[in-house]
Amino acid sequence: MTLRIEKPGLLSSFQDKGRWGHQHLGVSVTGAMDVQAHHVANLLVGNERDWATLEMTLIGPTIQFEKSCCISLTGADMDARCDGRRIVPYRPILIQAGQTLKLGTTKTGARTYMAVHGGFNLPVVMGSQSTYLRAGLGGWQGRALRKGDSIDINRSLPDDTAMLKDLAERIWQQSIYLPSVIGQLTGRKSLVRIIRSHLWGEFTPDSCASLLATEWRICTESERMGYRLEGPRLEMAQSRQMISEGAAFGTIQVPGSGQPIILMADRQTTGGYPKIATVASVDLPILAQKKPGDLVRFTLIDHSQAQRLDAVREEAFAVLRVDMARVRQLLSEALEPETIEQKGIAIEPEA
């Protein structure tokens, strides 16, 4: 085992891109809440961007490393310290065997992501390593981390202090350019872009105007499944029976209370409440980094604008992956001889 959990934090679970293709069976997609921070964490340590990372919410864990490895931390700032030394976020960092990583309470944002070079050794359940907490499925034993858990990783570095020091220096000297579109601290933003739903015109004009003019407060009854918003009551011009439809990450539905709910990563597979709009996927990380009590505002864009924003972000991810080639090479040259193939771990080879 290479990572021992001394303190679990408030809610720490492994997440990847999610469990797609099983919604017709009632299985939630789940996956990382802040997909952007999740992708960047992986790319910074030379992983494929969809590999599982450790998602830590509001209060981080304390982790003792029994093997040396390379990690990165992205998303919310949890004042991470390794043996008391401040860890710089959004950089690949070498951790030596025996060192302890301690994460505190978030200052800005709600969720921090930790990736480790080579990935975590977790079972693949229905095509994903994500933890579906409500069903006790996937991730580490289908649950959030607890004190005493021991997690293995797929690649570790030799316990050679001199070599690790030299490697750390060579990695630190690598210039890493984070395009602003993916390197931004989304927890500081509050304006979220949305797209009208096909039912937009069935809501009263006042309700549509209120959705865009209001500063909505995120309620305490908000978590990975959905965010409840507090503000003026939204109503349809004429109530009618709705047929349940597939639920998407970012759908804004309006139940009978008139208070909107935004469906998040652990959303149900279908929903029967009327949908007034959907959050543009490029802005979902903003919501993922919001805490109960935080405020958000909405502005409309159209579908083609949302697609262009997505395309720009995809290009930025591609650029970052190319930029990390030298770091991948340095880490690959330093790996312990025991490889992924020797361990028999089913995981995609590094490109």
Side-chain angles (χ1 to χ4, degrees), residues 44-64:
L44 287 174
V45 294
N47 291 345
E48 296 302 320
R49 69 185 202 183
D50 288 328
W51 289 7
T53 58
L54 182 61
E55 180 183 274
M56 302 164 283
T57 304
L58 296 179
I59 301 173
T62 299
I63 305 170
Q64 184 179 44

Side-chain angles (χ1 to χ4, degrees), residues 164-326:
L164 290 172
K165 184 178 179 181
D166 176 67
L167 179 60
E169 182 63 28
R170 295 169 72 186
I171 289 177
W172 185 257
Q173 290 174 355
Q174 300 301 310
S175 297
I176 298 174
Y177 168 67
L178 279 177
S180 60
V181 69
I182 59 173
Q184 57 192 316
L185 297 175
T186 53
R188 294 176 181 168
K189 293 190 169 187
S190 61
L191 184 62
V192 174
R193 290 164 284 196
I194 60 174
I195 307 161
R196 293 183 181 91
S197 80
H198 63 292
L199 296 177
W200 175 271
E202 295 196 32
F203 284 83
T204 66
D206 284 348
S207 293
C208 295
S210 293
L211 179 67
L212 302 176
T214 301
E215 270 198 313
W216 296 90
R217 185 176 299 279
I218 296 174
C219 300
T220 53
E221 301 85 5
S222 298
E223 31 89 40
R224 284 182 49 89
M225 185 174 183
Y227 280 10
R228 291 182 178 273
L229 304 182
E230 180 183 338
R233 177 184 174 86
L234 304 183
E235 297 177 306
M236 299 187 78
Q238 188 171 3
S239 62
R240 64 179 177 87
Q241 292 290 320
M242 306 295 299
I243 299 175
S244 291
E245 300 174 325
F249 196 170
T251 293
I252 306 175
Q253 57 183 17
V254 183
S257 66
Q259 301 296 285
I261 299 172
I262 307 177
L263 302 183
M264 301 299 285
D266 284 1
R267 63 199 176 274
Q268 68 273 23
T269 55
T270 61
Y273 292 133
K275 306 173 180 64
I276 191 169
T278 299
V279 176
S281 59
V282 73
D283 280 352
L284 286 170
I286 297 174
L287 286 169
Q289 293 295 351
K290 294 301 177 194
K291 303 184 288 290
D294 286 348
L295 301 174
V296 294
R297 296 178 295 118
F298 299 115
T299 187
L300 279 177
I301 60 172
D302 61 31
H303 191 256
S304 61
Q305 288 176 296
Q307 287 181 317
R308 285 197 293 273
L309 290 168
D310 260 344
V312 170
R313 189 170 65 166
E314 288 299 307
E315 290 174 9
F317 285 136
V319 168
L320 178 58
R321 190 182 188 287
V322 171
D323 285 350
M324 297 308 297
R326 178 58 179 157

